[in-house]
């Protein structure tokens, strides 16, 4: 068993693993969000331009 601080639900090794997982999930979410924002902006552009005919 890993040593842990009293009152802490995770040992140091588990806390580091948990933080890495959290950081990975946040980065993945931000990448998906940024892609969605870029796609939304790309769809807005043709509507804002006047019709060519």
């Amino acid at each position: 068993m890993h040593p842990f601080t009293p009152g802490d639900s995770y040992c140091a090794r588990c806390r580091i693993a948990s933080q890495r997982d959290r950081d990975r999930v946040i980065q993945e979410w931000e990448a998906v969000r940024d892609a969605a924002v870029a796609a939304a902006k790309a769809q807005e552009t043709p509507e804002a331009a006047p019709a060519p005919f």
Side-chain angles (χ1 to χ4, degrees):
M1 183 170 196
H2 307 296
F4 63 94
T5 305
D8 191 358
S9 59
Y10 293 113
C11 66
R13 188 176 301 169
C14 296
R15 187 181 321 110
I16 291 169
S18 176
Q19 288 171 346
R20 285 182 183 158
D21 288 344
R22 182 199 65 216
D23 292 345
R24 178 183 50 79
V25 169
I26 289 171
Q27 288 175 348
E28 290 174 359
W29 183 87
E30 288 176 343
V32 170
R33 180 200 62 200
D34 293 346
V37 169
K41 286 182 180 179
Q43 287 179 352
E44 290 175 1
T45 303
E47 294 174 7
F53 47 85

